């Protein structure tokens, strides 16, 4: 079973997917501080076919929450770097990065 899940789509078939970041929003704070909600649209990497909700045929949105951190050990850092197409550099502005990655895709 794939780790890509949400409440309206039980699971995705095993395989590679292209994820396009649709939004990056504040989420409910967690035990360790502020959180962000990442919302992605999904396409099958091998066919380019967009993944749709089984119930109503609308585009499937996969979402995940992370801390606001983009530090070396954060969950968000590899996503940000994949979406940017480069490593995060010292002095990069987190707000500018957040604006830049909306609409970008990663596999």
């Amino acid at each position: 079973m794939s780790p890509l899940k949400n409440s309206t789509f039980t699971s995705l078939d095993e395989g590679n997917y292209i994820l396009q970041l649709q939004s990056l929003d504040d989420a409910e704070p967690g035990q360790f501080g502020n959180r962000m909600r990442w919302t992605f649209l999904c396409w099958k990497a091998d066919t380019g076919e967009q993944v749709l909700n089984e119930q109503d045929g609308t585009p499937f949105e996969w979402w995940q929450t992370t801390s606001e951190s983009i530090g070396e050990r954060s969950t968000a850092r590899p996503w940000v770097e994949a979406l940017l197409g480069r490593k995060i550099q010292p002095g990069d502005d987190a707000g500018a990065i957040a604006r830049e990655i909306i609409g970008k895709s990663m596999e």
Side-chain angles (χ1 to χ4, degrees), residues 27-36 66-68:
E28 290 292 320
Q31 179 181 0
F32 301 108
N34 293 334
R35 310 277 298 161
M36 300 299 298
T66 69
S67 72
E68 290 182 335

Side-chain angles (χ1 to χ4, degrees), residues 8-9 50-60:
T8 61
F9 192 99
Q50 187 168 20
V51 179
L52 303 175
N53 283 306
E54 293 173 343
Q55 291 88 350
D56 61 10
T58 59
F60 169 68

Side-chain angles (χ1 to χ4, degrees), residues 16-20 40-46 48 51 105-107:
N16 292 326
Y17 292 88
I18 297 168
L19 303 177
Q20 182 184 49
F40 295 92
L41 293 178
C42 306
W43 284 265
K44 294 179 181 178
D46 58 345
V51 179
S105 299
M106 64 180 179
E107 184 171 343

Side-chain angles (χ1 to χ4, degrees), residues 63-77:
W63 58 268
Q64 185 71 33
T65 59
T66 69
S67 72
E68 290 182 335
S69 173
I70 55 173
E72 290 288 333
R73 298 184 331 176
S74 70
T75 299
R77 188 180 188 104

